[in-house]
Amino acid sequence: MKNILVPVGTSPNTISHLQYAVDFAESFGAKLYVVHVYKVYSKAGTMVNLDQILERESKEFLNDLVSKIDTKNVEVITKALKGKIINTLELVCKIANIDLIMIEPRTNSVNDEVFLGETSGKIIKQMNGPATLIVPEGYVFKPVKHILMAVKSAIIKKENVLEPLKFFKDHFKPVVDLLLVKTPYHNEGDFDVNDELSQLVDNITETENATTFQGVLRHYESHNPDMLCVVRRKRGFFMKKWEKNVILKKDFSSDIPVLVLSGLK
């Protein structure tokens, strides 16, 4: 874990989120890229120097944020970038060789009924990039001791998709429980755990539920994890819930970090 990307917005939780990111990065000896993406204005009649104003304000905003946290020994690189959020972040991931994206649930939204706001939901749903760690608001960094990984299929076709989980396993030495959820769409071979995954997990539990999410709810308390690990699929754990990017607390919420892998297939 060498390079971590932290997109920031105007959330009241941003300072707390950045401090978590710094503490997390310090633990791994990683570099932190803190990015604020501002919109492009190209309509006729727009002020000629509006982009320059937005860039200056964005840089000042980032500098002010960083001045309010303890950066410790972590190298923090701030970037004010113009463009569309997904395209811009994907480009940053490629250029900076990002290993992990760290987001807060509500980057800009102040609606208390929302778990994931429009921007955060869009990052999870639409980005093609590395794994994402959703950090609950106000969460204080601590070593991870117990990870619950929930999947409806353990079939792995993508290379390096388990690397983020390996980082956590190697660094924190947590217990990793694998929850295999048999849904109505279960296929033969879905529960065949290959050597790469079996070497990471300590315990395997099989359950039968309508969805992976319901399986997690059923087994959450008995496992008592301090991190949840799920997989982003085209129609997987979160995607149906985030058709409109926003997800409400009544539909899903978590008081522990959620590691979202980029997809096993």
Side-chain angles (χ1 to χ4, degrees):
M1 190 84 67
K2 298 295 183 182
N3 301 302
I4 300 170
L5 175 63
V6 186
V8 296
T10 57
S11 162
N13 178 65
T14 301
I15 299 298
S16 171
H17 182 66
L18 275 181
Q19 191 60 61
Y20 178 96
V22 167
D23 296 343
F24 182 97
E26 183 188 40
S27 174
F28 279 92
K31 185 184 300 183
L32 212 59
Y33 290 85
V34 180
V35 173
H36 183 249
V37 180
Y38 59 94
K39 294 181 180 180
V40 180
Y41 290 89
S42 58
K43 293 182 179 179
T46 301
M47 292 172 54
V48 176
N49 63 342
L50 183 55
D51 281 346
Q52 289 86 345
I53 294 173
L54 291 173
E55 181 181 12
R56 183 179 69 248
E57 291 181 347
S58 185
K59 288 180 178 179
E60 292 174 352
F61 170 70
L62 288 171
N63 291 335
D64 181 61
L65 286 178
V66 175
S67 71
K68 295 177 180 177
I69 61 173
D70 181 2
T71 58
K72 302 183 177 180
N73 296 315
V74 175
E75 182 178 357
V76 179
I77 299 171
T78 59
K79 292 290 183 181
L81 301 172
K82 178 178 68 174
K84 295 182 178 180
I85 183 72
I86 299 302
N87 294 340
T88 304
L89 294 182
E90 287 180 346
L91 183 60
V92 173
C93 288
K94 292 179 180 179
I95 294 175
N97 194 25
I98 297 297
D99 299 303
L100 181 72
I101 303 171
M102 191 175 295
I103 64 173
E104 53 182 321
R106 298 181 296 173
T107 307
N108 296 304
S109 174
V110 294
N111 187 346
D112 287 338
E113 296 180 351
V114 170
F115 172 64
L116 274 190
E118 175 72 21
T119 301
S120 298
K122 186 180 292 185
I123 291 172
I124 290 289
K125 178 180 177 180
Q126 298 182 17
M127 269 196 69
N128 291 317
T132 303
L133 184 67
I134 307 170
V135 183
E137 295 177 2
Y139 197 82
V140 178
F141 172 77
K142 58 184 178 182
V144 180
K145 297 181 179 180
H146 193 165
I147 298 175
L148 175 61
M149 180 181 184
V151 297
K152 65 179 181 181
S153 174
I155 297 174
I156 300 175
K157 295 181 179 180
K158 283 187 179 180
E159 292 185 4
N160 302 320
V161 70
L162 293 176
E163 285 302 310
L165 187 59
K166 291 179 181 178
F167 286 139
F168 282 96
K169 184 71 173 182
D170 293 341
H171 188 68
F172 296 117
K173 312 298 183 187
V175 172
V176 179
D177 290 338
L178 176 62
L179 181 65
L180 299 173
V181 184
K182 184 177 181 181
T183 71
Y185 304 100
H186 183 80
N187 296 311
E188 185 177 353
D190 278 344
F191 284 4
D192 294 342
V193 180
N194 69 8
D195 291 340
E196 182 184 17
L197 182 56
S198 64
Q199 290 175 7
L200 291 174
V201 303
D202 299 279
N203 306 291
I204 299 177
T205 301
E206 295 186 9
T207 184
E208 188 169 345
N209 299 94
T211 65
T212 311
F213 176 57
Q214 289 184 12
V216 169
L217 291 180
R218 178 180 175 184
H219 292 270
Y220 185 89
E221 289 188 3
S222 61
H223 286 82
N224 193 29
D226 52 13
M227 178 174 285
L228 178 63
C229 178
V230 296
V231 176
R232 179 175 59 214
R233 300 181 187 275
K234 290 182 178 179
R235 302 293 296 176
F237 185 83
F238 284 133
M239 300 303 282
K240 292 180 182 179
K241 297 179 180 298
W242 291 341
E243 293 294 352
K244 296 182 180 179
N245 295 325
V246 173
I247 180 170
L248 301 177
K249 289 180 179 178
K250 67 182 181 64
D251 296 320
F252 177 82
S253 185
S254 176
D255 57 0
I256 60 174
V258 181
L259 177 63
V260 186
L261 301 180
S262 59
L264 303 182
K265 296 182 181 180

